[in-house]
Amino acid sequence: MKEMELYKIWSEQTLEDRDLNEELAAIAGDVDAISDRFYQTLEFGTGGLRGVIGAGTNRMNIYTVRQATQGIANYLNADYQNPSVAISYDSRIKSDVFARETARVFAANGIKVHLYDRLMPTPCLSFAVRELKCQGGVMITASHNPAKYNGYKAYGEDGCQITLEVAEKVLAQIGKVDIFHGVKLVDFDQAIADGSISYIPEKVTEKFMQQVLSQQINPGICQDSGLKVVYTPLNGTGNKPVREILKRIGIQNVSIVKEQEMPDGHFTTCPFPNPEIAEALDLGLKQAKAEKADLLLATDPDCDRVGIAVADGEGFRLVTGNEVGALLLEYICSQRTEKGTMPARPLTVKTIVTTELVDKIAAKYGVEVRNVLTGFKFIGEQIGLLEAKGEENRYIFGFEESYGYLSGSYVRDKDAVDASMLICEMAAFYRKQGKSILQQLNALYAEYGVFCHTQQSFVCEGESGMEKMSHIMEQLRLAPPQEIAQSAVVGTEDYEKSEIVDKNSGAVTPITLPKSNVIAFRLQNEARVVVRPSGTEPKIKVYYTTTGKTAEDAKKLTKIIQDDFTKILGF
């Protein structure tokens, strides 16, 4: 159906939503604006839905949310008897509205709904799915995207985000649903009254907190540590649970960044509420410096990621996700080994773009490393496979370079409540030894070698952006670079073709992971470049790894490789 025809239909059918109707009226006659909203439908995949809030098939609104929910409802009713779901939401614009609409659709389809009565972090949704024995779950969030975005994460009964197989089944069901006339709805208040929608009891939240507390390695070590912490929830869901967990482990001195304390989907002080981005931590860094804190913590809006900065002389140094993950793994391994609590055949899980420093740490402590595709659901999947064998206690830690960490099997998604607790515990432990986190990081590099990890993101918005990303990946496969920054490419890993090619010997090794649109190039100087389109944002992402005798050597090499590869990509 042509964009203008869809525009006319939407203008007639969206009268119940004043915001959408006004937006559609405002773009009357603007061909480009109409095309951008209707040239495609939001793609539903393993990450659910994510897009700009607004009118049209290519936007997040009550109609696209209802249609997706009806598709999930049809799938659940076809595959399960008397299914139930859990729903949570974050602080983003319209998150509460989308959560209510999701609940209305599920209830209308005879699916029991367990809904949090206030905004809650993503890991709490994963926990509720498993604790309440639900067959599915929905988290309304766009994670760390800018304020104009919202999203819809779909979860399976295992507490993980849905698999590709389930996503395809759901997508097939969504395709059968007329967005305006094919969705079942009930009155929300009536559904609350008759029990088809019920609020998740406080005891579930408390049980989640107890599970997080059980992940302590050195209980009580924070109580007299004197650790000074500045914390910002970046106007998201972490404010209450993170502050509560820090209080329970005995952190006495926690200062909150007031401008970013309360929920605010406009994120007025941090346009990109992403703890990976230095600008998002600007207010927190200023406060930490003024208060002479030891540590800055920043969680993203749905509190599944946490970024940190640590005191470094008169200033503060941001610590990357790879560095924090390596520090936590070393701390967990060393302390559990010392205390005799390390399980038999311990296991850690990381994604293919995460630091290979993990391999060196794991080898020292006899820990198995499993590599998985990008996305924490694949780490959660590995925990599930262990659980099926009665071996979930083998799992000691998992993380991805994008600031997501998890040390226990109680949830199947990254958990910034757990990670915030462990980071503070680790800082208190080293503080009692007279060391800072930065000094411990330098000790790691002295022992295992210096690793430098850098990420680049190239924004490719709209129809033309999608075409450009597709063209780039196609060209990298058809005409892969033979060298990058005058360093020969000695091997390629193509996760869509499922093969590793050694350029020197010509040997081809199969990749046993599921197919994914990712290509990696290994260079002769032990550097590595990985490129992939983002699954949740209109971006193409590039990950660089270099090593060197010093940090400066590694950084210089990274800059040279990064500049050349940017030209290869055509940016």
Side-chain angles (χ1 to χ4, degrees):
M1 190 179 291
K2 301 292 185 181
E3 286 91 337
M4 291 307 298
E5 292 178 61
L6 284 170
Y7 170 76
K8 182 180 178 182
I9 292 170
W10 274 66
S11 297
E12 295 168 350
Q13 296 291 334
T14 59
L15 298 179
E16 70 173 300
D17 191 315
R18 182 177 175 181
D19 290 344
L20 297 190
N21 212 243
E22 289 179 352
E23 179 184 341
L24 289 167
I27 63 170
D30 188 334
V31 175
D32 289 341
I34 291 171
S35 177
D36 186 45
R37 287 163 174 78
F38 293 100
Y39 81 92
Q40 67 172 9
T41 58
L42 279 184
E43 184 178 352
F44 186 95
T46 58
L49 298 173
R50 191 172 299 191
V52 174
I53 302 163
T57 57
N58 190 34
R59 294 288 189 270
M60 283 291 295
N61 51 66
I62 61 171
Y63 302 103
T64 51
V65 165
R66 287 173 181 173
Q67 183 186 41
T69 307
Q70 184 64 54
I72 295 173
N74 291 346
Y75 157 73
L76 289 173
N77 279 327
D79 279 35
Y80 299 95
Q81 287 189 339
N82 302 315
S84 63
V85 296
I87 301 173
S88 186
Y89 59 96
D90 70 2
S91 60
R92 286 184 173 273
I93 297 165
K94 292 189 182 292
S95 280
D96 57 340
V97 174
F98 295 160
R100 282 172 63 100
E101 295 303 303
T102 300
R104 290 178 67 198
V105 175
F106 279 133
N109 283 273
I111 296 171
K112 170 66 180 176
V113 176
H114 302 278
L115 173 69
Y116 277 110
D117 64 356
R118 61 189 183 278
L119 51 84
M120 293 290 280
T122 286
C124 292
L125 184 277
S126 177
F127 183 80
V129 168
R130 289 168 50 78
E131 178 66 16
L132 299 171
K133 296 179 171 54
C134 297
Q135 285 65 53
V138 172
M139 177 72 196
I140 303 295
T141 180
S143 189
H144 54 281
N145 284 64
K148 67 181 181 178
Y149 284 84
N150 211 327
Y152 179 111
K153 291 182 182 178
Y155 288 75
E157 62 182 334
D158 58 356
C160 292
Q161 289 188 54
I162 58 173
T163 64
L164 179 60
E165 180 184 359
V166 172
E168 289 176 348
K169 287 183 179 180
V170 171
L171 184 59
Q173 292 289 352
I174 292 172
K176 300 174 185 176
V177 177
D178 183 281
I179 197 166
F180 295 117
H181 306 294
V183 177
K184 297 178 182 178
L185 283 170
V186 294
D187 179 80
F188 183 84
D189 293 333
Q190 181 58 46
I192 289 285
D194 66 26
S196 53
I197 299 175
S198 61
Y199 290 116
I200 294 172
E202 194 63 34
K203 65 181 181 181
V204 173
T205 304
E206 177 56 29
K207 191 166 183 180
F208 167 80
M209 297 295 282
Q210 291 297 327
Q211 287 291 329
V212 173
L213 286 169
S214 73
Q215 299 306 309
Q216 294 176 89
I217 308 296
N218 284 296
I221 200 166
C222 296
Q223 291 174 4
D224 59 352
S225 66
L227 192 71
K228 294 182 179 180
V229 178
V230 170
Y231 170 58
T232 172
L234 297 179
N235 302 115
T237 61
N239 187 33
K240 290 185 177 181
V242 170
R243 291 170 73 174
E244 179 63 23
I245 210 72
L246 297 187
K247 177 183 175 183
R248 292 193 192 190
I249 65 173
I251 302 290
Q252 307 293 326
N253 194 336
V254 179
S255 175
I256 309 302
V257 178
K258 291 298 180 184
E259 299 92 333
Q260 298 172 341
E261 178 181 14
M262 303 308 291
D264 179 4
H266 295 282
F267 308 117
T268 52
T269 62
C270 52
F272 294 90
N274 183 351
E276 295 180 71
I277 299 174
E279 289 79 5
L281 277 61
D282 186 53
L283 286 177
L285 287 167
K286 289 177 181 176
Q287 187 166 318
K289 185 176 181 180
E291 297 180 4
K292 294 182 168 57
D294 299 297
L295 176 66
L296 167 67
L297 292 174
T299 54
D300 68 346
D302 66 323
C303 195
D304 61 356
R305 302 170 191 248
V306 57
I308 76 168
V310 296
D312 182 13
E314 292 299 310
F316 273 76
R317 182 195 151 174
L318 300 176
V319 187
T320 69
N322 278 314
E323 290 172 332
V324 171
L327 282 161
L328 285 172
L329 180 62
E330 171 73 24
Y331 173 67
I332 290 168
C333 288
S334 65
Q335 287 304 290
R336 291 192 68 170
T337 298
E338 183 180 308
K339 292 176 176 298
T341 60
M342 186 72 97
R345 299 164 59 222
L347 177 108
T348 186
V349 190
K350 72 176 187 68
T351 64
I352 58 175
V353 297
T354 298
T355 180
E356 292 175 347
L357 178 54
V358 167
D359 299 85
K360 295 193 174 187
I361 296 170
K364 176 181 177 180
Y365 294 101
V367 175
E368 178 188 342
V369 178
R370 287 189 187 173
N371 286 288
V372 296
L373 294 177
T374 306
F376 214 91
K377 58 181 169 285
F378 296 112
I379 296 176
E381 181 182 49
Q382 290 299 316
I383 302 172
L385 293 172
L386 291 170
E387 183 182 50
K389 297 178 180 178
E391 298 178 355
E392 65 268 29
N393 288 336
R394 289 181 58 201
Y395 173 83
I396 59 168
F397 189 57
F399 79 101
E400 55 187 3
E401 48 72 41
S402 54
Y403 295 61
Y405 319 95
L406 178 66
S407 67
S409 61
Y410 59 98
V411 296
R412 300 297 156 83
D413 213 333
K414 48 193 176 286
D415 181 4
V417 183
D418 168 53
S420 295
M421 179 191 74
L422 286 176
I423 289 165
C424 287
E425 182 188 311
M426 176 175 66
F429 173 81
Y430 290 126
R431 195 173 196 271
K432 285 196 170 184
Q433 293 186 338
K435 292 194 296 186
S436 68
I437 285 181
L438 187 56
Q439 287 172 320
Q440 175 59 19
L441 178 62
N442 289 333
L444 280 188
Y445 284 147
E447 181 175 359
Y448 300 113
V450 176
F451 284 70
C452 180
H453 305 281
T454 306
Q455 184 194 131
Q456 257 184 320
S457 293
F458 301 97
V459 177
C460 303
E461 290 190 319
E463 187 174 7
S464 61
M466 296 294 288
E467 290 174 354
K468 183 170 186 176
M469 284 196 290
S470 178
H471 177 72
I472 287 171
M473 297 305 291
E474 182 181 3
Q475 287 302 113
L476 287 176
R477 288 190 169 92
L478 290 174
Q482 300 303 302
E483 63 176 32
I484 301 172
Q486 298 182 331
S487 178
V489 174
V490 297
T492 62
E493 304 161 24
D494 191 328
Y495 290 84
E496 191 166 83
K497 291 183 178 178
S498 298
E499 64 179 27
I500 298 172
V501 178
D502 185 310
K503 294 290 187 178
N504 294 324
S505 67
V508 178
T509 307
I511 295 173
T512 58
L513 297 175
K515 292 182 183 298
S516 183
N517 192 12
V518 181
I519 304 173
F521 303 99
R522 287 194 178 271
L523 310 184
Q524 63 187 152
N525 49 16
E526 294 188 306
R528 188 169 183 246
V529 179
V530 184
V531 58
R532 72 178 183 92
S534 171
T536 56
E537 302 171 90
K539 293 178 179 179
I540 194 160
K541 293 187 173 184
V542 187
Y543 306 81
Y544 302 92
T545 298
T546 56
T547 60
K549 291 182 179 179
T550 68
E552 285 305 310
D553 288 342
K555 286 178 182 177
K556 286 179 182 177
L557 181 56
T558 297
K559 180 69 166 59
I560 294 169
I561 292 173
Q562 185 173 308
D563 288 348
D564 191 48
F565 197 68
T566 299
K567 294 176 184 176
I568 290 171
L569 293 180
F571 288 101

